[in-house]
Amino acid sequence: MEDRSRRRATVIQTMPSVLVVDDDHTLRSVLSSWVHSFGYQVHQAENAAEALDTLADTPADVALCDIHMPGHDGVWLASQIRERHPRTAIIMATAARDMELCVSTLRTDVVDYLLKPFDHARLLEALRLGEEWHHASIAADDLQDSLEHRLRNRRAQVAATLASAQENIADALDGLISMLALHERDGREHATRVSRLA
């Protein structure tokens, strides 16, 4: 029994997660049911403030946001999600009359737009695109972290090489000065012997 619970918890942790944000309770429930039937873990929020609180507690791979909501609208929410949770893919659900508002969300890297009314297939397509975007975002961040780590290591190696080269140059200069001093002493002794012979 305990193993089954542990396996279920592991499956839930690895399931992609979607936050459904809509002020219409009935529509939010229907969308959440569809999303769950596609194999996603679902969280719900009825407004922008609740959505941000939910994301702070439980980050989501994808946020499915309605545009028209009381208080802050979906456009404002999209900009906040992009700023606070840059790896979360954003999908906007909108009516045809909201196209001007949709254009303003282009700056927030919205992954897809669902034009209401939409069906199961269109929702699944958008969610899969959002999931791909989320994974690509993580991969890009990981690649950048890896490159920065390699760059830091390379800088340390270059600094060590330069320090070693400076030590070698100092040793070479010391040797050259010693050689010159030795030659100068030999030169002085030679001059002294020549002057005596003369």
Side-chain angles (χ1 to χ4, degrees), residues 82 88-92 108-113 126 129-130 133-134:
R82 184 56 52 239
T88 299
I90 303 168
I91 299 169
M92 302 299 289
T108 57
D109 295 326
V110 171
V111 173
D112 204 353
Y113 296 89
L129 182 62
W133 187 95
H134 172 73

Side-chain angles (χ1 to χ4, degrees), residues 175-193:
L176 184 58
I177 290 170
S178 295
M179 260 185 9
L180 288 174
L182 180 63
H183 285 298
E184 184 181 306
R185 186 172 42 116
D186 288 346
R188 202 174 320 127
E189 289 175 2
H190 176 70
T192 304
R193 282 193 304 273

Side-chain angles (χ1 to χ4, degrees), residues 106-158:
L106 293 174
R107 291 185 314 255
T108 57
D109 295 326
V110 171
V111 173
D112 204 353
Y113 296 89
L114 294 171
L115 190 60
K116 294 177 182 178
F118 50 85
D119 60 11
H120 283 81
R122 182 65 186 96
L123 176 59
L124 180 57
E125 178 187 1
L127 291 175
R128 286 184 174 159
L129 182 62
E131 191 179 351
E132 287 175 21
W133 187 95
H134 172 73
H135 291 302
S137 175
I138 290 173
D141 287 348
D142 290 346
L143 177 60
Q144 183 175 349
D145 290 347
S146 172
L147 290 173
E148 287 176 0
H149 177 72
R150 288 171 57 191
L151 186 56
R152 280 194 302 272
N153 286 344
R154 186 66 186 133
R155 284 180 184 151
Q157 289 172 354
V158 168

Side-chain angles (χ1 to χ4, degrees), residues 65-80:
C65 307
D66 186 30
I67 285 196
H68 285 291
M69 294 184 289
H72 295 292
D73 64 11
V75 175
W76 180 87
L77 177 58
S79 68
Q80 293 299 305

